[in-house]
Amino acid sequence: MKNILIYIGLIVAIVALYGFAFTIASQGEDDGKKIFVDNKCNMCHTVKSVGIESKKSDATDLSTVGKDKTTEFLMKYLKKETKLNDKDHKSSFKGTDDELKTLVDWLLTLK
């Protein structure tokens, strides 16, 4: 009987830890997506892979932006410190450095 209780306790602990880890892992993605929407990035950009649509017909889709960009490049580009195809980003990111880092980390997951 004691062995059965220990076994059940271990199963409950494993399931609880798995759920906790899953919640933590998806939280970062949700934060980046929220920052993207809150800063109105979806006015000019769409991310079809996560269901974000822009009202502009010629909006740039960022669904694969993480495939060929780096953290350093995206952070500088969004602060208008570097150019892409000889052009600055149309507006400088107005949030905090932590929000920018979270946003860029989320964008890099888009592959």
Side-chain angles (χ1 to χ4, degrees), residues 7 26 32 41 48 52-53 56 66 69 73 83-84 86-87 96 98-99 103 108:
Y7 180 73
S26 67
C41 300
K48 291 180 181 176
I52 297 174
E53 294 287 333
K56 287 179 64 175
K69 303 292 185 269
F73 173 79
K83 297 178 186 258
L84 177 64
D86 291 326
K87 295 180 183 177
T96 67
D98 287 337
E99 289 174 328
L103 174 63
L108 290 173

Side-chain angles (χ1 to χ4, degrees), residues 18-46:
Y18 177 77
F20 180 70
F22 181 76
T23 301
I24 299 260
S26 67
Q27 187 175 14
E29 293 177 15
D30 292 341
D31 290 346
K33 183 177 178 180
K34 182 177 180 342
I35 291 168
F36 185 88
V37 173
D38 288 350
N39 282 278
K40 296 183 173 59
C41 300
N42 59 328
M43 297 300 286
C44 298
H45 301 287
T46 185

Side-chain angles (χ1 to χ4, degrees), residues 3 5 11 21 23 30 36 38 43 45 49 60 62 66 75 78 90 97 99 101 104 108 110:
N3 288 339
L5 291 175
I11 290 175
T23 301
D30 292 341
F36 185 88
D38 288 350
M43 297 300 286
H45 301 287
S49 62
T60 304
L62 300 178
M75 290 185 77
L78 293 174
K90 291 193 179 189
D97 287 342
E99 289 174 328
K101 177 72 170 112
V104 168
L108 290 173
L110 302 174

Side-chain angles (χ1 to χ4, degrees), residues 57-95:
S57 60
D58 63 341
T60 304
D61 186 14
L62 300 178
S63 292
T64 60
V65 73
K67 191 184 307 184
D68 58 351
K69 303 292 185 269
T70 65
T71 300
E72 182 181 343
F73 173 79
L74 286 175
M75 290 185 77
K76 285 183 177 183
Y77 182 64
L78 293 174
K79 288 182 173 182
K80 296 179 92 169
E81 295 173 357
T82 192
K83 297 178 186 258
L84 177 64
N85 300 326
D86 291 326
K87 295 180 183 177
D88 284 324
H89 191 261
K90 291 193 179 189
S91 63
S92 183
F93 183 77
K94 304 214 181 347

